[in-house]
Amino acid sequence: MAAEQPIPVYTNLTDLYGSLGTSLNHAEKWSSVAEEFQQRFGRKPAFIARAPGRVNLIGIIFHITKAQSSQPAVLTIIRIGEHIDYCLFGVLPAAIERDILIAISRRPNIHAEDAPGSVFAENMQTKYTRQVFAPAPRRRASVSEEEVRLEEWHLDINTKELRWESYVKAGYYGVLINYFAGGSNPAPVDILVTGTVPAGSGLSSSAAMVVGSTLAFLAVNGKLEGNFTGNGPKITKGQLVEMAVANEKRVGVNSGGMDQAASVISVPSSALYISFFPELSASAVPLPSGAVFIIANSLVVSDKAVTAKRNYNLRVVETLAAARILARRLELKVEKTEKVTLREVVGRLAGEVEEAGEMPVEWLLETLKRMEREIECLKPTKSSEEGQMGVTMEEMIEMSGLTAEEFHDVYLSWVEVEATHFQLYKRAKHVFSEASRVLQFRQICLAAESSPSSPMDVIKDLGQLMNESQTSCNELFQCSCPELNELTEIAMNVGAFGSRLTGAGWGGCTVSLVAEDNVDSFIKKVSATYGPYKGLHGEALDEVIFATKPSSGACVYKFE
């Protein structure tokens, strides 16, 4: 299993660069970080930790983060699938070449005023100022008021006003509570952060920051010695994913693991098929040669806090309610207080046994095909305005078999939504068809690996699935926006095999599948056609549209 492999620690730059992809000058970037660290801190770093961003090739998923207070929950995006999302179907992300790099070294001259484990953190982006912080041991009574023991550490992270160093602290936090709970102290360190994953673009820059930070603090505190020497215990990729997921919760992101798994477990030239039911698992899916992915930022930012009740939160309630109504129509057992998911409905209908693992792909595809017929029961039964496929709140409650009070407790007491009609049919149709496309995408890639098929024929088939996904996202799940639609249309007009939104939607980026020898021409044509790109040149343009190949996951370089 990929998750059971140890985190790679390199001492040879040639081996390291060879694992990262060819679209960027990695040697220049890594050298620049090392030189800047030496200039700022007077010595070279001991380690550089790398964590890539990720792109969603096909599929779209969200995840709920419940509010910490009595306020309604706000939905947080978990790009194209992650842990226990509200549908539980598998997804296909891939790590990208753009990444976060964190150079780190122990501070050699420790002063009396330095607190244990203190951190001097700097960022190569000039808009971010130097930050100095230190963890504090948190003490509390555990057995009696007289017996007080060290239980964990504390780092102040203001989740209401997240800053760049908040993600560094989040990664550090996990290392503290997992490896320094017995009274020992972490090393005081200097760190320098840089990155090429555009922030707020739906490419998981925050997850990459937390993964990179966790990895850097593990390395500098000697916790990766087994990975480096081959002697003693090794920290696996799966362990790093689990730690990073828990760490990201420190900044208020209740992530389920998809972003972190893609950043850590990915391998070059492959996507990562992640399944969440009946348990989390990941496996590499080799992609055909001859094409690259081009990421284009629409420059539209969706304000989740403002639109959640009409977009993110609403989709969760619609799909969960659709799952209950389908289960009731199919006479499947569902407890009154259970938030059954669409994936669980499929499993129960097919007689899936959780202990036996995920059902065979052919079986799952066949059941999904049946579900696309069964969802007719989600259409309104009463006559309504012409073309209206949604149901009212009253109709939805009646279809669920619950009382109004029971329905509210299960589906509305923890989240705020706003709608006159709930599009149960459209949402379920998208989810089931998108789940089928993910499986087909995976099957095409796996079949191509062992057959003499023309790579271009395979790429065209994958592009067609991406196009179908974009249509479904726009028309059924309704999570696209005019700018994303325009970008995908432009992409197809100038030579892409397929193009779709990536991430949550309502803004953010598109991903297009483009022939490797057509990259420069494609970017030039898109840049000249998409209005918001006009006037952008050089680095400014490179920030919003760029090519990438599927890259390897997180790693560490150790300086000799």
Side-chain angles (χ1 to χ4, degrees):
M1 289 288 292
E4 296 171 359
Q5 296 176 354
I7 300 163
V9 178
Y10 293 95
T11 57
N12 182 301
L13 288 173
T14 301
D15 293 343
L16 170 64
Y17 299 148
S19 74
L20 302 184
T22 58
S23 295
L24 294 174
N25 188 336
H26 298 289
E28 179 180 316
K29 183 175 60 171
W30 283 65
S31 296
S32 174
V33 175
E35 291 169 4
E36 186 68 19
F37 186 96
Q38 181 147 14
Q39 182 175 337
R40 296 190 186 206
F41 297 110
R43 65 193 186 285
K44 66 181 181 181
F47 303 92
I48 295 179
R50 176 205 183 240
R54 66 95 194 96
V55 64
N56 320 326
L57 303 184
I58 191 166
I60 185 163
I61 296 178
F62 309 95
H63 174 75
I64 292 177
T65 296
K66 292 187 178 180
Q68 300 298 313
S69 66
S70 60
Q71 296 301 312
V74 174
L75 200 64
T76 303
I77 304 311
I78 302 304
R79 341 289 176 185
I80 183 181
E82 35 91 58
H83 89 136
I84 304 176
D85 64 279
Y86 63 85
C87 293
L88 288 182
F89 284 104
V91 292
L92 272 169
I96 61 175
E97 293 179 61
R98 299 212 170 198
D99 50 25
I100 299 294
L101 298 182
I102 300 182
I104 192 166
S105 180
R106 293 187 178 218
R107 198 172 312 120
N109 301 314
I110 303 174
H111 303 286
E113 63 271 17
D114 285 347
S118 61
V119 177
F120 289 3
E122 298 198 8
N123 196 306
M124 285 181 65
Q125 292 193 33
T126 56
K127 63 181 179 180
Y128 298 128
T129 58
R130 172 187 249 207
Q131 299 296 316
V132 178
F133 54 88
R138 177 185 289 165
R139 297 178 182 274
R140 58 173 175 253
S142 59
V143 178
S144 67
E145 291 185 0
E146 290 76 29
E147 182 182 351
V148 178
R149 67 181 176 89
L150 183 66
E151 205 167 69
E152 59 183 47
W153 295 78
H154 173 71
L155 270 172
D156 184 33
I157 301 176
N158 183 356
T159 58
K160 294 181 180 179
E161 185 183 357
L162 288 177
R163 298 162 55 89
W164 74 271
E165 73 275 8
S166 300
Y167 300 95
V168 176
K169 290 180 179 180
Y172 192 12
Y173 208 117
V175 177
L176 290 168
I177 63 175
N178 282 285
Y179 294 94
F180 292 95
S184 59
N185 290 326
V189 300
D190 298 325
I191 71 170
L192 178 63
V193 177
T194 188
T196 53
V197 185
S201 62
L203 300 176
S204 288
S205 60
S206 59
M209 274 285 285
V210 174
V211 168
S213 171
T214 304
L215 202 47
F217 283 105
L218 284 171
V220 81
N221 283 289
K223 307 306 177 183
L224 294 180
E225 283 304 302
N227 297 61
F228 169 57
T229 64
N231 300 319
K234 302 176 179 66
I235 296 179
T236 67
K237 294 180 178 182
Q239 289 172 315
L240 177 58
V241 170
E242 290 178 1
M243 202 181 310
V245 170
N247 292 348
E248 197 160 352
K249 292 178 181 178
R250 304 289 177 183
V251 290
V253 178
N254 193 9
S255 171
M258 195 290 301
D259 293 341
Q260 294 81 1
S263 184
V264 173
I265 303 176
S266 291
V267 295
S269 304
S270 298
L272 196 67
Y273 176 70
I274 303 177
S275 176
F276 307 106
F277 187 87
E279 61 183 5
L280 181 65
S281 63
S283 59
V285 179
L287 295 170
S289 60
V292 299
F293 294 103
I294 294 184
I295 311 298
N297 194 334
S298 68
L299 301 179
V300 174
V301 178
S302 177
D303 190 335
K304 305 177 192 66
V306 174
T307 64
K309 61 185 178 182
R310 299 187 300 276
N311 293 336
Y312 308 106
N313 293 1
L314 182 58
R315 298 303 182 278
V316 175
V317 171
E318 288 171 327
T319 54
L320 288 174
R324 174 174 286 274
I325 294 166
L326 276 170
R328 184 178 183 227
R329 179 60 61 95
L330 295 167
E331 299 182 345
L332 303 173
K333 184 178 179 181
V334 178
E335 300 296 334
K336 276 194 174 183
T337 59
E338 182 183 2
K339 294 185 183 72
V340 67
T341 67
L342 290 170
R343 175 61 179 83
E344 288 168 322
V345 170
V346 166
R348 293 177 194 183
L349 179 64
E352 185 175 28
V353 179
E354 292 189 23
E355 291 74 15
E358 187 173 26
M359 71 175 83
V361 171
E362 294 75 14
W363 189 5
L364 182 52
L365 280 168
E366 187 175 332
T367 310
L368 287 168
K369 192 173 182 180
R370 175 181 171 181
M371 294 307 298
E372 291 194 51
R373 299 191 300 269
E374 298 289 355
I375 59 174
E376 291 295 316
C377 70
L378 299 175
K379 292 180 178 179
T381 55
K382 301 175 182 177
S383 59
S384 60
E385 56 194 87
E386 186 177 351
Q388 178 56 256
M389 300 291 286
V391 297
T392 64
M393 175 72 78
E394 292 74 18
E395 289 173 316
M396 181 168 61
I397 293 172
E398 181 181 349
M399 293 163 72
S400 74
L402 300 176
T403 66
E405 183 178 358
E406 289 168 341
F407 189 93
H408 180 272
D409 288 344
V410 176
Y411 297 109
L412 300 174
S413 60
W414 45 271
V415 68
E416 183 181 6
V417 299
E418 181 182 289
T420 56
H421 289 83
F422 295 80
Q423 304 295 333
L424 309 183
Y425 172 79
K426 287 184 177 181
R427 308 312 181 226
K429 185 175 179 64
H430 167 77
V431 169
F432 291 134
S433 64
E434 190 78 342
S436 294
R437 282 186 286 272
V438 169
L439 293 172
Q440 291 170 46
F441 196 107
R442 179 185 180 219
Q443 284 187 308
I444 290 170
C445 292
L446 293 175
E449 188 184 20
S450 57
S451 73
S453 302
S454 163
M456 280 299 128
D457 289 341
V458 174
I459 290 168
K460 289 176 182 177
D461 289 341
L462 299 180
Q464 180 60 34
L465 288 172
M466 292 174 68
N467 291 334
E468 291 173 7
S469 173
Q470 173 61 23
T471 300
S472 184
C473 287
N474 183 44
E475 297 178 0
L476 297 177
F477 215 63
Q478 297 175 302
C479 61
S480 191
C481 66
E483 293 82 0
L484 289 171
N485 292 338
E486 181 183 359
L487 264 178
T488 56
E489 184 177 349
I490 291 171
M492 294 305 299
N493 288 340
V494 299
F497 295 107
S499 186
R500 68 180 294 276
L501 62 86
T502 183
W506 293 290
C509 293
T510 62
V511 55
S512 300
L513 188 59
V514 177
E516 197 165 4
D517 59 5
N518 189 36
V519 169
D520 291 340
S521 174
F522 179 89
I523 290 178
K524 184 177 180 180
K525 290 175 181 177
V526 173
S527 302
T529 309
Y530 186 55
Y533 289 177
K534 292 178 180 178
L536 297 179
H537 304 282
E539 288 186 9
L541 182 61
D542 191 45
E543 278 291 304
V544 298
I545 182 168
F546 55 87
T548 185
K549 289 184 176 181
S551 179
S552 60
C555 66
V556 171
Y557 177 73
K558 179 181 172 67
F559 287 81
E560 297 292 350

